[in-house]
């Protein structure tokens, strides 16, 4: 058994499809191509009633998660998933990349043109600055494996489908005795040849679930005009299989690096010690507190690919006790934490309560995420009277980018 999906499986996630009419029952409203051909008044009326989100904020639906369960890491009845969607929800849902053929690409995925290394992002990978025309795909970022150029994977009209995905789709269709086509108009060639191949061969069965009629209805053994989530939820209930809940998983590393305090100037011919000294020449102990996110979807490269989904690192406490102010004491020294002070140039929070103490923080600007700048988020503290940085307790607070928000 294979599954073939189109834009209709993602409308429940808040992503509009392409062909639904202006009177559609979908909350996402009329399809993108229908609106493009409509009058300004129609577009305005549609915008007033539609409930939609973007592909980078959407989360997998019941249909996406049902397909993951039916695949069961290769042990279930679903052997492969072929999709026309570019929203990245199938990968995000947990469907293994080796079981997924994305015929029209993935707006969140970029791939090295030299070695094939690829990585999923939490932002659209297409870069209009480096890819000025539809058939240019260089993102401006560099492969972490071989140093080659990374390209977005979107397939535009007039471009050939990716060899690996198309070959896999055709091979799986040749072996399948059942194709479950979900949420697709089945009118785009050559992608629609995949379900057609199963429906037309001897012993093959084609089941179509779509609100509108399709050109392949005549080849189908069963056609259901309903929403994909409705059908899949009923199917899973009939099979007595629970639909897993989507859980966003993120991996990150956090640590603190102690820097040796400054020493007296070295004699001629000797190396100077590391560290800093204050304005009076006193030795200063330094502590660098850092955090970095790791990509959850990198393939062929392990799980240690830097991926900055962490927006802000705030240092709440440092030193043997609690931070100044936590026990009712206050200090006029900005950002003092148990004697530790952030180095010059560090930003500090603005306390909302009277007597609160500003905390040092570091953050990543969201509009900078399109660049390949995935360095650690870090804060450096200094302590003039503490030169022993071997064991210093630290408490921090992390803020994450709110990419995935389901509106129930």
């Amino acid at each position: 058994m294979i599954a073939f999906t189109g834009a209709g499986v993602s409308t429940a996630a808040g992503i509009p499809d392409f062909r639904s009419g202006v009177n559609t029952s979908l909350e996402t409203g009329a399809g993108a191509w229908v609106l493009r051909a409509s009058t300004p008044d129609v577009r305005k009326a549609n915008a007033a009633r539609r409930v939609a989100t973007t592909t980078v904020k959407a989360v997998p639906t019941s249909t996406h998660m049902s397909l993951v369960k039916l695949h069961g890491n290769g042990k279930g009845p679903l052997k492969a998933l072929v999709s026309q969607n570019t929203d990245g929800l199938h990968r995000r849902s947990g469907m293994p990349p080796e079981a997924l053929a994305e015929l029209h690409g993935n707006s969140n995925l970029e791939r090295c043109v030299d070695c094939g290394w690829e990585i999923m992002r939490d932002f659209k990978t297409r870069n209009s600055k480096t890819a000025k025309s539809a058939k240019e795909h260089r993102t401006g970022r560099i492969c972490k494996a071989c140093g080659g150029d990374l390209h977005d994977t979107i397939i535009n009209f007039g471009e050939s489908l990716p060899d690996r995905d198309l070959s896999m789709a055709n091979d799986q269709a040749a072996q399948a005795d059942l194709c479950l086509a979900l949420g697709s108009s089945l009118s785009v060639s050559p992608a629609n040849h995949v379900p057609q191949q199963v429906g037309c061969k001897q012993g093959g069965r084609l089941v179509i679930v779509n609100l509108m009629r399709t050109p392949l209805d005549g080849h189908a053994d069963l056609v259901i005009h309903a929403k994909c989530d409705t059908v899949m939820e009923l199917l899973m209930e009939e099979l007595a299989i629970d639909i897993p809940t989507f859980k966003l998983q993120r991996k990150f590393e956090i640590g603190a690096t102690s820097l040796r305090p400054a020493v007296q100037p070295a004699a001629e011919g000797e190396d100077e010690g590391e560290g800093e000294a204050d304005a009076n020449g006193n030795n200063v102990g330094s502590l660098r507190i850092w955090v970095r996110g790791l990509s959850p979807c990198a393939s062929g490269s392990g799980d240690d690919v830097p991926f900055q989904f962490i927006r802000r690192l705030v240092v709440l406490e440092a030193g043997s006790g609690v931070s100044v102010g936590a026990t009712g004491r206050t200090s006029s020294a900005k950002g003092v934490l148990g004697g530790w002070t952030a180095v010059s140039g560090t930003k500090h929070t603005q306390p909302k309560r009277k007597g609160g103490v500003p905390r040092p923080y570091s953050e990543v600007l969201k509009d900078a995420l399109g660049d390949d700048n995935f360095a650690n988020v870090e804060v450096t503290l200094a302590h003039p009277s503490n030169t022993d940085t071997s064991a210093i307790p630290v408490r921090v607070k992390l803020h994450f980018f709110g990419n995935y928000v389901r509106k129930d």
Side-chain angles (χ1 to χ4, degrees):
M1 168 184 171
I2 65 172
F4 183 89
T5 64
V9 303
S10 296
T11 53
I15 301 175
D17 62 14
F18 299 96
R19 291 181 171 83
S20 290
V22 294
N23 295 318
T24 181
S25 60
L26 295 173
E27 291 185 346
T28 48
W33 293 343
V34 172
L35 286 177
R36 191 177 300 171
S38 301
T39 65
D41 288 342
V42 170
R43 289 194 290 269
K44 183 177 180 180
N46 182 82
R49 69 179 182 87
R50 77 188 310 189
V51 179
T53 187
T54 62
T55 58
V56 294
K57 291 185 177 180
V59 298
T61 67
S62 296
T63 298
H64 291 95
M65 300 311 298
S66 295
L67 294 174
V68 172
K69 186 68 174 182
L70 290 174
H71 179 260
N73 287 319
K75 299 179 181 179
L78 180 64
K79 301 306 178 184
L81 171 58
V82 182
S83 182
Q84 297 170 285
N85 296 342
T86 63
D87 53 38
L89 288 182
H90 283 306
R91 280 223 184 187
R92 205 172 297 160
S93 69
M95 182 64 68
E98 60 271 16
L100 177 63
E102 294 177 303
L103 298 182
H104 295 164
N106 184 325
S107 61
N108 301 118
L109 182 72
E110 54 187 336
R111 181 179 295 120
C112 177
V113 294
D114 293 331
C115 72
W117 182 89
E118 57 187 29
I119 184 172
M120 278 280 286
R121 306 291 197 186
D122 268 358
F123 53 83
K124 291 186 176 181
T125 59
R126 185 159 184 81
N127 187 345
S128 58
K129 294 180 181 179
T130 56
K132 298 183 182 298
S133 69
K135 294 187 178 182
E136 293 181 88
H137 297 278
R138 190 169 65 87
T139 66
R141 289 176 286 272
I142 302 300
C143 175
K144 301 297 183 182
C146 74
D149 285 333
L150 292 180
H151 283 205
D152 70 66
T153 57
I154 290 296
I155 305 299
N156 294 303
F157 281 107
E159 294 184 299
S160 299
L161 302 191
D163 291 337
R164 175 264 177 194
D165 297 84
L166 184 59
S167 296
M168 172 188 169
N170 287 326
D171 290 345
Q172 291 293 333
Q175 301 176 50
D177 57 2
L178 170 63
C179 176
L180 179 59
L182 300 166
S184 173
S185 66
L186 302 178
S187 59
V188 178
S189 175
N192 62 355
H193 295 169
V194 175
Q196 183 179 27
Q197 182 178 346
V198 179
C200 292
K201 71 179 180 181
Q202 185 174 3
R205 291 170 294 174
L206 174 61
V207 175
I208 299 175
V209 179
N210 198 53
L211 287 175
M212 302 170 65
R213 288 178 291 189
T214 80
L216 298 187
D217 285 358
H219 299 291
D221 295 84
L222 176 64
V223 177
I224 304 174
H225 295 298
K227 295 179 179 179
C228 296
D229 272 12
T230 301
V231 174
M232 291 305 297
E233 288 168 4
L234 290 172
L235 173 62
M236 298 298 277
E237 181 181 350
E238 182 68 21
L239 295 174
I241 300 176
D242 292 332
I243 301 175
T245 301
F246 171 70
K247 294 181 180 179
L248 179 63
Q249 296 182 340
R250 285 290 185 259
K251 180 179 178 182
F252 62 87
E253 293 179 342
I254 187 168
T257 304
S258 61
L259 306 176
R260 286 191 294 145
V263 297
Q264 297 297 324
E268 185 176 353
E270 295 180 353
D271 294 332
E272 294 185 356
E274 297 178 353
E276 300 179 4
D278 62 16
N280 298 319
N282 298 318
N283 290 347
V284 177
S286 297
L287 184 68
R288 183 173 64 88
I289 303 164
W290 56 269
V291 62
R292 69 167 178 167
L294 300 176
S295 172
C297 300
S299 63
S301 57
D303 58 0
D304 59 349
V305 181
F307 179 72
Q308 203 55 274
F309 56 86
I310 299 169
R311 181 172 63 88
R312 179 182 288 189
L313 164 67
V314 183
V315 179
L316 299 179
E317 300 181 5
S320 58
V322 296
S323 60
V324 176
T327 58
R329 296 174 294 162
T330 60
S331 172
S332 60
K334 187 176 182 181
V336 174
L337 302 170
W340 290 88
T341 307
V343 297
S344 177
T346 303
K347 297 179 181 178
H348 289 75
T349 61
Q350 298 298 319
K352 296 181 180 179
R353 294 180 300 177
K354 184 177 180 180
V357 177
R359 264 67 171 192
Y361 72 90
S362 177
E363 67 180 349
V364 176
L365 298 177
K366 192 163 189 175
D367 58 8
L369 287 178
D371 300 325
D372 196 17
N373 181 18
F374 302 117
N376 299 343
V377 180
E378 59 184 53
V379 172
T380 300
L381 305 179
H383 197 317
S385 62
N386 189 334
T387 58
D388 180 12
T389 57
S390 58
I392 301 170
V394 175
R395 188 164 72 92
V396 302
K397 182 178 183 180
L398 302 179
H399 296 255
F400 301 93
F401 286 114
N403 277 21
Y404 303 111
V405 180
R406 183 190 288 274
K407 295 182 179 180
D408 295 321

